[in-house]
Amino acid sequence: MMKLNMTSRQQRRLWRHIGSIENFWETLAELEPGVIQRLAAIATERRWEVIFLTKRPRRQAHGAGPDQRWLASKGFALPSVYVVQGSRGRIAHALDVDIVVDDRPENCLDVVVDSKARAILVWREDESSCPRRRSASASAS
Amino acid sequence: MKTVGECLDILTQVDSPDAREQPGVLDRVMRLLGLKEPANA
């Protein structure tokens, strides 16, 4: 995965451009092909209630529709999607969520601080670049 | 976890009937996750 160091202005321009592309969200591929369908199958079998939390700039006022269509196109029928503006932890607390899976450490921290839910971080980069590892090595030096 | 797939592997283990009937299995999985007690405790 490539990371871009963009200024706030560049990010705003990028979001504006994305907003101008019709059905942009539906064109995106899964990072892990087939995992949405697998989650849907497990959720049905185990009767898990799954809520997808997503965040995007406030000005991108599409609601949850694009995310729901994308998830449905990948095999998760009738997904519950909540567009979050603040802390995911507060949402997890309000919805009495047991476990939150997220790929951003700051979101996991929100969950741990603001709710009783457990947070699981999906870290696709090298383990040495994980913030916890960095701070651990920094404090050791 | 490296992937959502790995995450699902763990969660299905935690939620399996075997794990629920064998606290030792659940404890091991929770330790693997860095958790000390079940999420709904």
Side-chain angles (χ1 to χ4, degrees):
Chain A
M1 192 184 303
M2 186 173 66
K3 281 202 167 180
L4 301 173
N5 290 318
M6 300 175 77
T7 64
S8 301
R9 188 171 172 211
Q10 288 171 324
Q11 287 181 34
R12 282 196 301 274
R13 285 183 60 194
L14 176 62
W15 280 112
R16 260 201 311 275
H17 180 64
I18 286 172
S20 70
I21 301 172
E22 194 172 347
N23 299 326
F24 169 80
W25 299 103
E26 288 88 331
T27 66
L28 299 178
E30 287 176 280
L31 285 177
E32 295 174 40
V35 80
I36 300 290
Q37 191 164 34
R38 184 177 169 216
L39 172 60
I42 294 171
T44 300
E45 181 200 327
R46 303 290 178 94
R47 299 187 178 190
W48 291 355
E49 290 180 47
V50 179
I51 301 169
F52 296 90
L53 304 179
T54 185
K55 189 174 187 177
R56 71 171 71 89
R58 202 176 286 273
R59 72 181 68 209
Q60 293 283 315
H62 297 300
D67 307 87
Q68 288 174 311
R69 286 194 294 277
W70 183 82
L71 288 162
S73 74
K74 302 301 176 207
F76 199 112
L78 303 175
S80 298
V81 177
Y82 193 95
V83 181
V84 182
Q85 291 298 339
S87 162
R88 288 172 194 231
R90 287 203 294 272
I91 301 296
H93 177 73
L95 298 176
D96 200 21
V97 169
D98 291 318
I99 294 174
V100 175
V101 178
D102 205 295
D103 61 0
R104 287 174 177 254
E106 61 269 31
N107 290 338
C108 288
L109 183 61
D110 277 348
V111 169
V112 171
V113 169
D114 293 334
S115 79
K116 290 180 180 172
R118 307 296 185 175
I120 299 177
L121 174 65
V122 175
W123 188 257
R124 296 187 175 91
E125 296 172 43
D126 188 85
E127 271 189 49
S128 63
S129 64
C130 187
R132 184 180 135 194
R133 301 263 174 183
R134 267 209 310 262
S135 61
S137 61
S139 63
S141 61
Chain B
M1 304 290 128
K2 274 278 189 190
T3 65
V4 173
E6 277 181 31
C7 192
L8 288 177
D9 292 341
I10 294 292
L11 292 175
T12 49
Q13 283 183 54
V14 172
D15 190 49
S16 71
D18 285 349
R20 282 195 293 259
E21 286 169 15
Q22 299 174 44
V25 174
L26 184 60
D27 286 345
R28 285 204 301 278
V29 174
M30 298 312 266
R31 277 201 301 275
L32 184 63
L33 285 172
L35 308 175
K36 290 182 181 172
E37 56 192 69
N40 57 1

XYZ file of all heavy atoms in Angstrom, chain A residues 11-91:
666
model
N -5.660 17.314 0.103
C -6.684 16.326 0.472
C -8.080 16.813 0.092
O -8.897 16.046 -0.410
C -6.623 16.052 1.975
C -5.415 15.229 2.378
C -5.383 14.943 3.868
O -6.412 14.780 4.496
N -4.193 14.910 4.427
N -8.333 18.109 0.350
C -9.661 18.653 -0.006
C -9.891 18.547 -1.502
O -10.969 18.187 -1.953
C -9.777 20.115 0.453
C -10.051 20.264 1.937
C -10.530 21.662 2.269
N -9.582 22.704 1.894
C -8.566 23.106 2.677
N -8.386 22.558 3.872
N -7.747 24.056 2.286
N -8.849 18.851 -2.290
C -8.971 18.763 -3.756
C -9.221 17.329 -4.195
O -10.026 17.057 -5.080
C -7.704 19.306 -4.430
C -7.619 20.824 -4.405
C -6.400 21.308 -5.146
N -6.394 20.896 -6.550
C -5.339 20.952 -7.338
N -4.196 21.394 -6.863
N -5.409 20.580 -8.595
N -8.501 16.417 -3.541
C -8.671 14.995 -3.882
C -10.104 14.553 -3.597
O -10.743 13.896 -4.433
C -7.677 14.142 -3.081
C -7.800 12.631 -3.270
C -7.529 12.239 -4.723
C -6.830 11.889 -2.353
N -10.619 14.921 -2.409
C -11.992 14.525 -2.062
C -13.000 15.145 -3.025
O -13.992 14.513 -3.389
C -12.311 14.925 -0.615
C -11.753 13.954 0.383
C -10.743 14.182 1.264
C -12.171 12.594 0.596
N -10.504 13.044 2.006
C -11.355 12.072 1.628
C -13.144 11.782 0.019
C -11.498 10.767 2.091
C -13.277 10.476 0.490
C -12.467 9.990 1.500
N -12.734 16.403 -3.428
C -13.631 17.045 -4.403
C -13.644 16.265 -5.711
O -14.686 16.029 -6.307
C -13.178 18.493 -4.674
C -13.987 19.532 -3.909
C -13.886 20.922 -4.552
N -12.538 21.355 -4.868
C -11.712 21.948 -3.988
N -12.105 22.166 -2.751
N -10.509 22.329 -4.346
N -12.444 15.842 -6.116
C -12.335 15.098 -7.363
C -13.061 13.750 -7.243
O -13.804 13.351 -8.146
C -10.859 14.869 -7.708
C -10.652 14.107 -8.982
N -11.038 14.604 -10.208
C -10.128 12.869 -9.206
C -10.752 13.707 -11.140
N -10.202 12.654 -10.562
N -12.842 13.084 -6.117
C -13.523 11.794 -5.903
C -15.033 11.995 -5.958
O -15.759 11.195 -6.563
C -13.088 11.177 -4.548
C -11.662 10.643 -4.665
C -14.054 10.073 -4.103
C -11.046 10.193 -3.360
N -15.498 13.076 -5.332
C -16.936 13.348 -5.320
C -17.499 13.565 -6.709
O -18.706 13.377 -6.940
N -16.630 13.964 -7.644
C -17.108 14.249 -9.000
C -17.161 12.984 -9.872
O -17.683 13.011 -10.980
C -16.197 15.290 -9.677
O -14.937 14.699 -9.965
N -16.596 11.889 -9.375
C -16.579 10.643 -10.158
C -17.820 9.819 -9.812
O -18.026 9.454 -8.647
C -15.310 9.813 -9.861
C -14.059 10.615 -10.190
C -15.328 8.506 -10.653
C -12.765 9.959 -9.741
N -18.597 9.548 -10.813
C -19.831 8.807 -10.577
C -19.509 7.362 -10.153
O -18.648 6.708 -10.747
C -20.681 8.790 -11.852
C -22.099 8.340 -11.573
C -22.998 8.514 -12.798
O -22.569 9.208 -13.742
O -24.089 7.965 -12.802
N -20.201 6.910 -9.128
C -20.040 5.540 -8.617
C -18.589 5.193 -8.267
O -18.158 4.055 -8.446
C -20.563 4.508 -9.621
C -22.033 4.693 -9.900
O -22.789 5.090 -9.011
N -22.455 4.426 -11.126
N -17.854 6.187 -7.774
C -16.440 5.952 -7.461
C -16.270 4.786 -6.484
O -15.454 3.887 -6.687
C -15.809 7.208 -6.864
C -14.443 6.970 -6.276
C -13.333 6.902 -7.100
C -14.269 6.780 -4.907
C -12.075 6.654 -6.574
C -13.014 6.529 -4.373
C -11.915 6.476 -5.209
N -17.059 4.816 -5.405
C -16.858 3.833 -4.334
C -17.081 2.416 -4.829
O -16.405 1.474 -4.419
C -17.782 4.151 -3.149
C -17.489 5.500 -2.593
C -18.205 6.648 -2.777
C -16.347 5.879 -1.810
N -17.599 7.702 -2.154
C -16.458 7.268 -1.552
C -15.258 5.175 -1.307
C -15.516 7.956 -0.802
C -14.313 5.872 -0.562
C -14.453 7.241 -0.315
N -18.058 2.273 -5.725
C -18.394 0.933 -6.205
C -17.294 0.337 -7.089
O -17.287 -0.862 -7.353
C -19.713 0.948 -6.982
C -20.946 1.138 -6.094
C -21.309 2.588 -5.852
O -20.382 3.445 -5.873
O -22.475 2.894 -5.630
N -16.378 1.194 -7.561
C -15.321 0.692 -8.444
C -14.125 0.130 -7.661
O -13.224 -0.461 -8.251
C -14.781 1.801 -9.371
O -14.128 2.799 -8.563
C -15.901 2.434 -10.181
N -14.106 0.347 -6.345
C -12.942 -0.073 -5.560
C -12.948 -1.581 -5.311
O -13.992 -2.167 -5.022
C -12.937 0.661 -4.207
C -12.852 2.183 -4.272
C -12.915 2.767 -2.865
C -11.582 2.635 -4.985
N -11.763 -2.172 -5.404
C -11.632 -3.614 -5.157
C -11.387 -3.856 -3.667
O -10.974 -2.949 -2.942
C -10.469 -4.175 -5.967
N -11.629 -5.068 -3.221
C -11.325 -5.430 -1.835
C -9.818 -5.520 -1.646
O -9.112 -5.996 -2.529
C -11.911 -6.807 -1.506
C -13.395 -6.865 -1.342
C -13.841 -8.307 -1.130
O -13.937 -9.031 -2.132
O -14.077 -8.684 0.011
N -9.343 -5.106 -0.473
C -7.923 -5.288 -0.169
C -7.618 -6.776 -0.003
O -6.532 -7.235 -0.328
C -7.559 -4.546 1.126
C -7.450 -3.029 1.020
C -7.154 -2.427 2.386
C -6.368 -2.616 0.031
N -8.588 -7.502 0.520
C -8.449 -8.959 0.673
C -9.591 -9.606 -0.101
O -10.707 -9.704 0.420
C -8.539 -9.357 2.144
C -7.410 -8.836 2.989
C -7.611 -9.123 4.477
O -8.066 -10.222 4.807
O -7.350 -8.219 5.277
N -9.334 -10.010 -1.321
C -10.422 -10.547 -2.150
C -11.193 -11.671 -1.460
O -10.585 -12.619 -0.940
C -9.688 -11.057 -3.400
C -8.454 -10.223 -3.467
C -8.063 -9.989 -2.029
N -12.505 -11.525 -1.437
C -13.366 -12.572 -0.893
C -13.667 -12.457 0.594
O -14.501 -13.189 1.120
N -13.008 -11.526 1.277
C -13.161 -11.495 2.735
C -14.540 -10.964 3.161
O -15.072 -11.377 4.194
C -12.008 -10.690 3.394
C -12.243 -9.187 3.319
C -11.801 -11.138 4.828
N -15.123 -10.101 2.360
C -16.462 -9.574 2.699
C -17.492 -10.710 2.622
O -18.342 -10.858 3.503
C -16.862 -8.435 1.736
C -15.867 -7.271 1.820
C -18.285 -7.957 2.030
C -15.902 -6.493 3.089
N -17.370 -11.499 1.574
C -18.302 -12.621 1.416
C -18.116 -13.638 2.554
O -19.081 -14.192 3.078
C -18.067 -13.297 0.068
C -19.157 -14.288 -0.299
C -19.104 -14.645 -1.763
O -18.020 -14.699 -2.352
N -20.247 -14.880 -2.368
N -16.859 -13.836 2.919
C -16.583 -14.768 4.019
C -17.187 -14.248 5.323
O -17.801 -15.001 6.085
C -15.070 -14.944 4.170
C -14.736 -15.963 5.212
C -13.253 -16.226 5.360
N -13.045 -17.027 6.556
C -12.014 -16.905 7.360
N -11.053 -16.041 7.096
N -11.918 -17.645 8.444
N -17.011 -12.952 5.574
C -17.590 -12.353 6.778
C -19.110 -12.507 6.773
O -19.708 -12.854 7.799
C -17.208 -10.866 6.861
C -17.894 -10.053 7.957
C -17.588 -10.613 9.346
C -17.470 -8.587 7.880
N -19.716 -12.276 5.619
C -21.176 -12.398 5.517
C -21.614 -13.830 5.846
O -22.598 -14.032 6.580
C -21.626 -12.011 4.114
N -20.879 -14.802 5.322
C -21.244 -16.205 5.554
C -21.107 -16.560 7.031
O -21.989 -17.215 7.615
C -20.352 -17.112 4.698
N -20.016 -16.109 7.645
C -19.801 -16.416 9.075
C -20.868 -15.715 9.922
O -21.418 -16.298 10.857
C -18.386 -15.973 9.518
C -17.321 -16.800 8.813
C -18.242 -16.104 11.030
C -15.895 -16.282 9.022
N -21.147 -14.465 9.579
C -22.136 -13.705 10.354
C -23.505 -14.379 10.297
O -24.222 -14.443 11.299
C -22.222 -12.275 9.823
N -23.851 -14.908 9.146
C -25.135 -15.608 9.008
C -25.123 -16.890 9.825
O -26.053 -17.171 10.585
C -25.392 -15.937 7.517
O -25.420 -14.718 6.793
C -26.718 -16.661 7.343
N -24.028 -17.649 9.689
C -23.929 -18.936 10.383
C -23.921 -18.767 11.903
O -24.604 -19.484 12.627
C -22.645 -19.634 9.930
C -22.433 -20.994 10.560
C -20.968 -21.416 10.467
O -20.299 -21.055 9.489
O -20.498 -22.096 11.395
N -23.136 -17.775 12.375
C -22.972 -17.589 13.821
C -23.968 -16.592 14.411
O -23.911 -16.295 15.596
C -21.545 -17.094 14.116
C -20.447 -17.999 13.617
C -20.406 -19.283 14.434
N -19.390 -20.189 13.928
C -18.139 -20.246 14.415
N -17.775 -19.443 15.367
N -17.266 -21.108 13.927
N -24.772 -16.023 13.552
C -25.743 -14.992 13.973
C -25.056 -13.789 14.615
O -25.512 -13.258 15.629
C -26.782 -15.592 14.930
C -27.565 -16.696 14.266
C -28.695 -17.175 15.107
N -29.437 -18.205 14.419
C -30.594 -18.695 14.820
N -31.152 -18.220 15.907
N -31.207 -19.621 14.137
N -23.937 -13.399 14.030
C -23.263 -12.183 14.487
C -24.008 -10.982 13.935
O -24.490 -11.019 12.798
C -21.833 -12.118 13.949
C -20.878 -13.114 14.520
C -21.110 -14.009 15.521
C -19.522 -13.323 14.100
N -19.993 -14.757 15.751
C -19.005 -14.364 14.902
C -18.709 -12.736 13.144
C -17.702 -14.821 14.757
C -17.405 -13.198 12.987
C -16.907 -14.224 13.799
N -24.092 -9.957 14.731
C -24.605 -8.682 14.221
C -23.394 -7.838 13.850
O -22.576 -7.519 14.712
C -25.434 -7.974 15.283
C -26.750 -8.669 15.576
C -27.543 -7.935 16.644
O -27.671 -6.714 16.544
O -27.996 -8.607 17.574
N -23.277 -7.501 12.595
C -22.109 -6.759 12.109
C -22.541 -5.347 11.707
O -23.527 -5.170 10.985
C -21.472 -7.468 10.892
C -20.280 -6.668 10.373
C -21.050 -8.891 11.256
N -21.815 -4.365 12.224
C -22.052 -2.977 11.829
C -20.755 -2.444 11.232
O -19.685 -2.581 11.841
C -22.433 -2.107 13.045
C -23.692 -2.663 13.717
C -22.665 -0.658 12.619
C -23.976 -2.020 15.062
N -20.833 -1.883 10.069
C -19.660 -1.295 9.416
C -19.613 0.189 9.769
O -20.574 0.914 9.521
C -19.734 -1.477 7.902
C -19.688 -2.912 7.467
C -20.849 -3.651 7.328
C -18.472 -3.530 7.210
C -20.808 -4.989 6.939
C -18.419 -4.867 6.820
C -19.589 -5.596 6.685
N -18.493 0.597 10.358
C -18.297 2.011 10.682
C -17.355 2.598 9.645
O -16.301 2.025 9.361
C -17.687 2.164 12.078
C -18.433 1.515 13.239
C -17.677 1.733 14.539
C -19.846 2.050 13.351
N -17.721 3.721 9.100
C -16.870 4.340 8.080
C -16.798 5.829 8.329
O -17.667 6.409 8.962
C -17.416 4.044 6.666
O -16.508 4.566 5.693
C -18.778 4.662 6.448
N -15.726 6.424 7.855
C -15.524 7.846 8.087
C -15.144 8.514 6.778
O -14.363 7.959 6.006
C -14.404 8.032 9.111
C -14.232 9.443 9.593
C -13.195 9.473 10.704
C -13.118 10.840 11.341
N -12.180 10.881 12.464
N -15.675 9.645 6.540
C -15.258 10.421 5.377
C -15.538 11.888 5.671
O -16.290 12.194 6.596
C -15.975 9.954 4.116
C -17.430 10.293 4.023
C -17.963 9.963 2.655
N -18.058 8.529 2.457
C -19.143 7.814 2.770
N -20.187 8.411 3.277
N -19.178 6.537 2.574
N -14.938 12.791 4.921
C -15.151 14.215 5.193
C -16.632 14.573 5.212
O -17.413 14.039 4.438
C -14.432 14.902 4.028
C -13.394 13.940 3.613
C -13.986 12.580 3.825
N -16.972 15.490 6.113
C -18.367 15.875 6.302
C -18.999 16.349 4.991
O -20.172 16.140 4.749
C -18.426 17.001 7.339
C -19.758 17.161 8.019
C -19.645 18.224 9.077
N -18.910 17.767 10.239
C -19.466 17.126 11.270
N -20.735 16.864 11.270
N -18.734 16.753 12.293
N -18.175 16.980 4.151
C -18.759 17.538 2.918
C -19.176 16.434 1.926
O -19.924 16.686 1.008
C -17.788 18.506 2.262
C -16.614 17.847 1.615
C -15.694 18.876 1.017
N -15.068 19.646 2.080
C -14.672 20.897 1.942
N -14.845 21.511 0.822
N -14.090 21.534 2.924
N -18.628 15.226 2.108
C -19.018 14.118 1.238
C -20.329 13.542 1.759
O -20.375 12.488 2.366
C -17.942 13.036 1.244
C -16.641 13.458 0.616
C -16.706 13.458 -0.893
O -17.227 12.517 -1.475
N -16.223 14.491 -1.516
N -21.411 14.275 1.535
C -22.694 13.935 2.176
C -23.467 12.892 1.371
O -24.577 13.122 0.916
C -23.511 15.202 2.355
N -22.861 11.711 1.192
C -23.549 10.656 0.452
C -24.366 9.767 1.378
O -25.070 8.897 0.922
C -22.537 9.752 -0.266
C -21.729 10.470 -1.303
N -22.304 11.083 -2.375
C -20.404 10.656 -1.412
C -21.336 11.624 -3.121
N -20.188 11.381 -2.551
N -24.180 9.927 2.689
C -24.779 8.968 3.604
C -24.060 7.633 3.454
O -22.932 7.576 2.971
N -24.741 6.580 3.876
C -24.103 5.261 3.858
C -24.346 4.510 2.558
O -23.829 3.416 2.373
C -24.626 4.444 5.039
N -25.110 5.085 1.648
C -25.498 4.393 0.419
C -24.354 3.799 -0.380
O -24.387 2.600 -0.690
N -23.311 4.573 -0.699
C -22.207 4.002 -1.489
C -21.533 2.828 -0.801
O -21.186 1.836 -1.445
C -21.232 5.186 -1.641
C -22.080 6.391 -1.470
C -23.138 6.011 -0.479
N -21.359 2.946 0.517
C -20.715 1.858 1.266
C -21.596 0.607 1.248
O -21.100 -0.509 1.092
C -20.473 2.299 2.714
C -19.721 3.606 2.776
O -20.376 4.658 2.737
O -18.491 3.568 2.839
N -22.894 0.817 1.427
C -23.820 -0.326 1.419
C -23.833 -1.010 0.061
O -23.821 -2.238 -0.024
C -25.228 0.148 1.795
C -25.345 0.500 3.260
C -26.691 1.098 3.594
O -27.157 2.008 2.919
N -27.319 0.582 4.638
N -23.825 -0.202 -0.992
C -23.822 -0.801 -2.341
C -22.526 -1.569 -2.590
O -22.521 -2.642 -3.191
C -24.035 0.287 -3.402
C -25.468 0.788 -3.468
C -25.717 1.587 -4.739
N -24.964 2.830 -4.781
C -25.360 3.968 -4.189
N -26.500 4.012 -3.535
N -24.630 5.054 -4.268
N -21.426 -0.973 -2.108
C -20.125 -1.640 -2.308
C -20.097 -2.969 -1.559
O -19.698 -4.007 -2.125
C -18.999 -0.724 -1.812
C -17.625 -1.292 -2.054
C -16.904 -1.238 -3.209
C -16.826 -2.036 -1.117
N -15.706 -1.889 -3.053
C -15.627 -2.381 -1.775
C -16.995 -2.423 0.206
C -14.614 -3.102 -1.159
C -15.983 -3.149 0.825
C -14.804 -3.478 0.147
N -20.516 -2.951 -0.303
C -20.512 -4.186 0.493
C -21.431 -5.232 -0.132
O -21.086 -6.416 -0.200
C -20.947 -3.881 1.930
C -19.905 -3.127 2.767
C -20.553 -2.493 3.991
C -18.779 -4.057 3.189
N -22.597 -4.792 -0.597
C -23.541 -5.730 -1.212
C -22.932 -6.331 -2.480
O -23.079 -7.535 -2.742
C -24.847 -5.020 -1.518
N -22.195 -5.490 -3.242
C -21.597 -5.995 -4.485
C -20.498 -7.011 -4.206
O -20.145 -7.814 -5.064
C -21.031 -4.840 -5.322
O -19.824 -4.355 -4.746
N -19.946 -6.977 -2.983
C -18.882 -7.928 -2.613
C -19.435 -9.145 -1.864
O -18.675 -9.997 -1.407
C -17.819 -7.252 -1.737
C -17.153 -6.045 -2.370
C -16.461 -6.401 -3.659
C -15.880 -5.164 -4.325
N -15.762 -5.283 -5.769
N -20.761 -9.178 -1.679
C -21.346 -10.389 -1.101
C -21.957 -10.257 0.268
O -22.350 -11.252 0.862
N -22.029 -9.029 0.818
C -22.668 -8.846 2.130
C -24.009 -8.163 1.893
O -24.079 -6.945 1.724
C -21.776 -8.006 3.056
C -22.125 -8.149 4.510
C -21.252 -8.773 5.392
C -23.338 -7.690 5.020
C -21.552 -8.932 6.730
C -23.659 -7.838 6.355
C -22.756 -8.462 7.215
N -25.065 -8.959 1.893
C -26.397 -8.409 1.601
C -26.920 -7.595 2.782
O -26.683 -7.944 3.934
C -27.358 -9.551 1.303
N -27.574 -6.507 2.491
C -28.221 -5.642 3.482
C -27.301 -5.278 4.656
O -27.641 -5.493 5.835
C -29.493 -6.313 4.012
C -30.541 -6.684 2.947
C -31.695 -7.455 3.581
C -31.054 -5.432 2.247
N -26.143 -4.715 4.380
C -25.220 -4.371 5.467
C -25.688 -3.148 6.255
O -26.270 -2.219 5.689
C -23.914 -4.048 4.730
C -24.363 -3.559 3.395
C -25.616 -4.331 3.063
N -25.422 -3.171 7.567
C -25.674 -1.987 8.392
C -24.407 -1.136 8.359
O -23.341 -1.602 8.757
C -25.960 -2.394 9.844
O -27.114 -3.179 9.915
N -24.533 0.082 7.901
C -23.371 0.969 7.792
C -23.663 2.254 8.545
O -24.747 2.827 8.408
C -23.049 1.300 6.318
C -21.888 2.290 6.228
C -22.714 0.032 5.544
N -22.703 2.673 9.353
C -22.847 3.918 10.101
C -21.688 4.833 9.726
O -20.527 4.455 9.851
C -22.826 3.620 11.604
C -23.280 4.767 12.450
C -24.600 4.868 12.880
C -22.394 5.774 12.815
C -25.019 5.941 13.647
C -22.807 6.845 13.587
C -24.116 6.915 13.998
O -24.521 7.985 14.757
N -22.014 6.016 9.234
C -20.968 6.976 8.872
C -20.609 7.771 10.119
O -21.434 8.486 10.674
C -21.425 7.921 7.743
C -20.299 8.894 7.384
C -21.833 7.119 6.511
N -19.371 7.600 10.568
C -18.912 8.173 11.827
C -18.203 9.499 11.572
O -17.410 9.606 10.642
C -17.897 7.206 12.500
C -17.442 7.760 13.835
C -18.502 5.837 12.666
N -18.477 10.489 12.392
C -17.713 11.730 12.306
C -16.754 11.874 13.484
O -15.703 12.448 13.364
C -18.660 12.941 12.255
C -19.463 13.041 10.968
C -18.597 13.208 9.724
O -17.451 13.622 9.816
N -19.149 12.873 8.568
N -17.134 11.326 14.631
C -16.285 11.481 15.822
C -15.609 10.182 16.196
O -15.180 9.414 15.334
N -15.547 9.947 17.510
C -14.865 8.767 18.031
C -15.644 7.489 17.746
O -16.839 7.403 18.021
C -14.696 8.919 19.545
O -14.440 7.673 20.138
N -14.959 6.503 17.208
C -15.601 5.200 17.013
C -15.879 4.539 18.353
O -16.753 3.698 18.472
C -14.698 4.297 16.170
C -14.669 4.764 14.751
C -13.661 4.043 13.926
N -13.491 4.799 12.691
C -13.562 4.283 11.490
N -13.756 3.010 11.340
N -13.419 5.035 10.430
N -15.107 4.927 19.353
C -15.315 4.363 20.682
C -16.669 4.753 21.244
O -17.351 3.926 21.859
N -17.052 5.998 21.029
C -18.353 6.431 21.544
C -19.484 5.708 20.827
O -20.506 5.377 21.416
C -18.492 7.957 21.422
C -17.627 8.704 22.435
C -18.148 10.096 22.706
N -18.048 10.944 21.526
C -16.973 11.663 21.232
N -15.920 11.629 22.023
N -16.939 12.411 20.147
N -19.296 5.462 19.536
C -20.303 4.706 18.775
C -20.352 3.271 19.299
O -21.422 2.708 19.518
C -19.941 4.687 17.268
C -19.865 6.109 16.713
C -20.935 3.843 16.480
C -21.163 6.859 16.752
